[in-house]
Amino acid sequence: MRARHDGTVLHVVSRDPVPDGVRELLDGLTWEWEQCGPGDDFADAMLRAACPALPGDGCGAPAIVIGLRRRTAEGRLNLGHTAERVLLEAPCPVVTVKCS
């Protein structure tokens, strides 16, 4: 895990609270968990976490990692609004992983 190797802060943006067992997986890392509510803009939260709007800071994250879910046949051409916004607006590399 890059965050463990580089000593960077892992900032997780999720719609859910920290799941059971995750704290043990993140042991030894510096990490923050941000839970978004139903009315929050998830893409904005991810971009803000990676690139704080502080003068001169630029993008603080070495990368953004997003999970993609399987889509229906009609939705395969569309990544989803959140993923599309993050991919297009992020000033740092974006890595996608397949969610199980």
Side-chain angles (χ1 to χ4, degrees):
M1 177 181 279
R2 183 174 179 166
R4 190 176 312 276
H5 179 266
D6 296 346
T8 57
V9 176
L10 178 66
H11 189 105
V12 179
V13 179
S14 177
R15 289 192 172 99
D16 303 313
V18 181
D20 293 336
V22 169
R23 292 182 193 280
E24 291 79 27
L25 291 172
L26 299 175
D27 188 40
L29 292 175
T30 303
W31 59 281
E32 301 168 352
W33 193 278
E34 178 181 345
Q35 184 176 343
C36 289
D40 295 334
D41 187 321
F42 202 53
D44 277 347
M46 283 191 279
L47 293 167
R48 193 174 48 251
C51 306
L54 300 174
D57 275 358
C59 188
I64 296 173
V65 179
I66 59 174
L68 298 178
R69 292 189 174 116
R70 182 172 295 277
R71 312 268 314 166
T72 63
E74 296 80 28
R76 286 195 179 133
L77 293 175
N78 182 359
L79 277 175
H81 178 70
T82 300
E84 182 179 20
R85 278 203 48 221
V86 172
L87 285 167
L88 294 174
E89 295 179 23
C92 59
V94 178
V95 179
T96 60
V97 294
K98 182 172 70 171
C99 293
S100 55

